[in-house]
Amino acid sequence: YRLPVFGTDDVYVYTRCARLGNRSFDTEQIIARLKDGALETVSFAVVTIVVYDYAAGRSAPIPESWRERLIAYEPAPIRDERTT
């Protein structure tokens, strides 16, 4: 949280995948409001999502199909920990 949002504000929400690990990935969320013709960030968050195999009771590798879709969707490069 950085700034308040009011009912009359024009609000924009952005979400992107920022990091791909072997069993988890990070998403970044930004909420911004339009103020005097410019966007200003009112909130920023990083969420770590872990792929979980409930039957086995432990984390699981990110399926390759998920990885491919995340990479194809993002306009900016994703930090892929398998290649760093």
Side-chain angles (χ1 to χ4, degrees):
Y1 171 85
R2 294 182 182 170
L3 297 167
V5 174
F6 301 98
T8 56
D9 288 338
D10 288 325
V11 177
Y12 300 84
V13 178
Y14 302 95
T15 299
R16 71 177 296 267
C17 181
R19 180 195 62 85
L20 281 169
N22 292 316
R23 296 172 174 268
S24 65
F25 58 98
D26 292 343
T27 61
E28 295 175 342
Q29 290 77 31
I30 295 174
I31 300 174
R33 68 179 181 189
L34 193 60
K35 177 107 175 186
D36 299 325
L39 286 176
E40 60 182 7
T41 300
V42 298
S43 181
F44 176 80
V46 176
V47 176
T48 299
I49 299 166
V50 177
V51 179
Y52 194 77
D53 180 340
Y54 284 94
R58 62 178 181 257
S59 65
I62 297 173
E64 195 59 34
S65 62
W66 293 16
R67 185 179 299 280
E68 290 169 1
R69 284 190 220 156
L70 287 165
I71 291 169
Y73 177 80
E74 291 298 332
I78 299 171
R79 190 176 84 236
D80 189 339
E81 291 182 346
R82 295 184 316 168
T83 61
T84 55

